[in-house]
Amino acid sequence: RLKASPPPLCSVCFTSLFSTMSDKKCCACNAETPAFHYGIGVCRACSVFHRRARTRKTPYSCRNGRRCETEGNFLCKRCRYDKIDLLLAQKRTQREVKKSDKPTLPVPITPTAPPNHTTSTTQTDEISIIEKMKQAYKAVCTIRRISELATRPDHQSVAPMDSATGNYELLPSTPSFMNEGSRILATSLVEFATTSFDEFATFSRDEQWLLVRSFQKPFHISDSGFRSIAAFGEKWTRHYTGYTRFMDVEYIEQYTAASGTEHLEEAMRMSRHHHEKNIKPARMDFARFAPSEEELAAMLGLLFWNIDMDQEVRQDILDIAEGYRTRILEDLRRYYGRRNFAAYGQRMGEMLCLCNLVLTKVSINKHTFEVARLLDVFAADSFAYTMQRNH
């Protein structure tokens, strides 16, 4: 039975939805249904399935690479869940577009350039914490770009003016670059923390390194997910391994062979599995959320102060971390308020879920690096592996 007051839709969406409801077919599984649920034209079975799937500790997987629908196959559980999730996301987007003259949320899944909002730099008399982290993030990007390009061999060198203007070629990653890039990133994150958080300079050297070391991989995953949206579009297995380097399944053999491992086939198989099962879903989740620069800065701040309770840190550092997490969320709420974004609570919830996804991927990456070391892709004393092992 249709609701008496359906959510407002544009004429095209309304025509499409009305046509679907007239046929009384579920938009997800295409089965006939006497009533629609979730407000998106899905049957009761699909609505119950989606609610239960959200609470699963282990997500469903697709043996067809999430291409069941595009190839005309019967939807597996993973693709069925993604279909319902996409319909819900589109419904939320349509509502927000109707409320505002300007769209505040991009269409989910379709990879677009992150919104480039211009933000007032002050809340009262001082710069906001999100703005400080945003400027610090830009400084990190500059340090990484200049340092990585400066370490390229002569036959791949970039002229200084081209480096400054961003006119350079992205190169496939190599095992040796992973060590160089990891060291450059760790160094630049010290600058990020010092610029963003005044108290960081008062910590001991060991305390500073503990926070930076724990933050490096969450930063890398978030930065790669953010920048890959505009750079790589729907090439879902392509991602940044540094600021000027990338990786994809088509370069796995070249990358693995460069490591000199004697376990070439096993290492290549492991890497392909990692790209399909871990890199690709994470890329799609970032594209679905499509964070703005301010939202990315907020994510980075929350991830920086996400201190594992198993780590031995002073209580006053834990108190500082709690204070910054609170400040970041309050500043983010004000950011949404300045844009008259009514559903900011839902948007913040989605952002926190994305943060949790990043932390999950960190654990998976740690396991992947350990397997790579056992296959002699990385040496036990390499900087990239050491950073993963000690996370």
Side-chain angles (χ1 to χ4, degrees):
R1 183 177 301 172
L2 297 179
K3 294 182 179 180
S5 301
L9 299 171
C10 68
S11 58
V12 175
C13 296
F14 180 82
T15 301
S16 175
L17 184 60
F18 181 79
S19 175
T20 303
M21 290 184 172
S22 298
D23 295 335
K24 295 190 181 299
K25 292 289 186 74
C26 175
C27 294
C29 68
N30 207 34
E32 294 186 2
T33 176
F36 294 101
H37 300 264
Y38 269 11
I40 55 173
V42 297
C43 64
R44 175 174 172 77
C46 283
S47 66
V48 173
F49 163 78
H50 187 265
R51 283 196 296 270
R52 290 176 178 173
R54 283 187 304 180
T55 61
R56 280 177 58 90
K57 293 183 179 180
T58 304
Y60 293 116
S61 60
C62 175
R63 296 182 179 180
N64 199 34
R66 293 192 178 184
R67 297 190 297 270
C68 291
E69 184 175 19
T70 57
E71 295 183 357
N73 299 329
F74 180 79
L75 293 184
C76 67
K77 290 184 177 180
R78 176 75 243 188
C79 292
R80 183 186 182 191
Y81 178 83
D82 287 345
K83 175 75 172 180
I84 300 171
D85 217 31
L86 178 59
L87 290 170
L88 287 169
Q90 288 174 337
K91 177 188 174 185
R92 291 193 296 265
T93 301
Q94 291 160 2
R95 283 180 170 175
E96 293 308 320
V97 169
K98 191 71 175 180
K99 291 177 182 178
S100 174
D101 292 332
K102 288 186 177 180
T104 50
L105 278 177
V107 177
I109 290 299
T110 303
T112 57
N116 187 18
H117 301 298
T118 55
T119 310
S120 173
T121 59
T122 58
Q123 302 293 343
T124 53
D125 295 328
E126 62 179 77
I127 190 170
S128 72
I129 183 63
I130 287 182
E131 185 63 26
K132 287 180 69 175
M133 293 186 296
K134 181 179 170 183
Q135 296 305 319
Y137 171 72
K138 291 181 178 180
V140 169
C141 292
T142 301
I143 293 172
R144 296 175 72 196
R145 185 186 74 247
I146 294 174
S147 301
E148 289 181 15
L149 293 178
T151 59
R152 286 189 178 184
D154 290 342
H155 69 282
Q156 296 175 335
S157 62
V158 177
M161 289 305 299
D162 290 335
S163 174
T165 58
N167 184 25
Y168 55 85
E169 180 185 4
L170 295 176
L171 299 179
S173 191
T174 63
S176 61
F177 169 78
M178 293 292 286
N179 286 312
E180 298 170 359
S182 295
R183 196 178 299 276
I184 292 170
L185 175 57
T187 304
S188 66
L189 291 182
V190 176
E191 179 66 21
F192 174 88
T194 304
T195 304
S196 300
F197 315 115
D198 296 336
E199 294 85 349
F200 183 79
T202 67
F203 299 162
S204 70
R205 182 186 179 91
D206 289 341
E207 290 168 340
Q208 290 178 342
W209 180 237
L210 174 63
L211 292 173
V212 169
R213 188 184 68 202
S214 300
F215 180 52
Q216 178 169 8
K217 199 58 188 180
F219 178 95
H220 167 70
I221 294 174
S222 302
D223 168 72
S224 176
F226 175 74
R227 294 193 296 123
S228 294
I229 296 173
F232 305 134
E234 294 186 1
K235 295 180 179 179
W236 298 118
T237 54
R238 182 164 296 192
H239 62 107
Y240 281 103
T241 57
Y243 195 84
T244 64
R245 296 268 186 162
F246 72 96
M247 191 59 191
D248 204 344
V249 289
E250 60 193 276
Y251 298 99
I252 287 177
E253 183 174 4
Q254 172 184 323
Y255 176 92
T256 310
S259 68
T261 178
E262 296 179 355
H263 311 283
L264 185 62
E265 292 298 325
E266 293 89 342
M268 289 171 56
R269 184 163 52 251
M270 180 273 296
S271 185
R272 289 193 184 97
H273 179 273
H274 177 64
H275 278 74
E276 287 291 338
K277 300 298 182 181
N278 299 315
I279 299 297
K280 181 178 178 179
R283 280 279 333 273
M284 294 177 73
D285 286 331
F286 265 89
R288 180 182 289 110
F289 184 71
S292 66
E293 292 181 357
E294 289 78 6
E295 288 171 325
L296 175 68
M299 285 182 62
L300 295 177
L302 293 172
L303 290 168
F304 181 89
W305 292 110
N306 182 64
I307 299 176
D308 192 334
M309 297 308 294
D310 292 335
Q311 296 172 341
E312 296 182 3
V313 295
R314 292 183 284 117
Q315 182 59 46
D316 58 335
I317 295 181
L318 295 176
D319 294 339
I320 291 171
E322 178 64 26
Y324 270 113
R325 290 195 296 267
T326 301
R327 283 181 60 188
I328 291 168
L329 292 175
E330 290 177 348
D331 203 13
L332 187 62
R333 181 180 57 81
R334 286 191 289 266
Y335 162 76
Y336 289 135
R338 288 193 296 272
R339 280 150 187 79
N340 298 319
F341 189 71
Y344 70 87
Q346 175 180 305
R347 182 72 172 171
M348 290 176 69
E350 293 173 351
M351 187 196 72
L352 293 176
C353 287
L354 194 59
C355 288
N356 189 58
L357 169 75
V358 170
L359 296 175
T360 301
K361 296 303 179 184
V362 169
S363 299
I364 294 174
N365 276 9
K366 184 176 181 179
H367 171 75
T368 302
F369 264 75
E370 187 62 37
V371 174
R373 184 196 65 81
L374 294 173
L375 294 174
D376 296 329
V377 177
F378 291 105
D381 59 350
S382 64
F383 189 82
Y385 169 73
T386 302
M387 291 296 287
Q388 291 284 341
R389 182 192 64 196
N390 294 331
H391 186 273

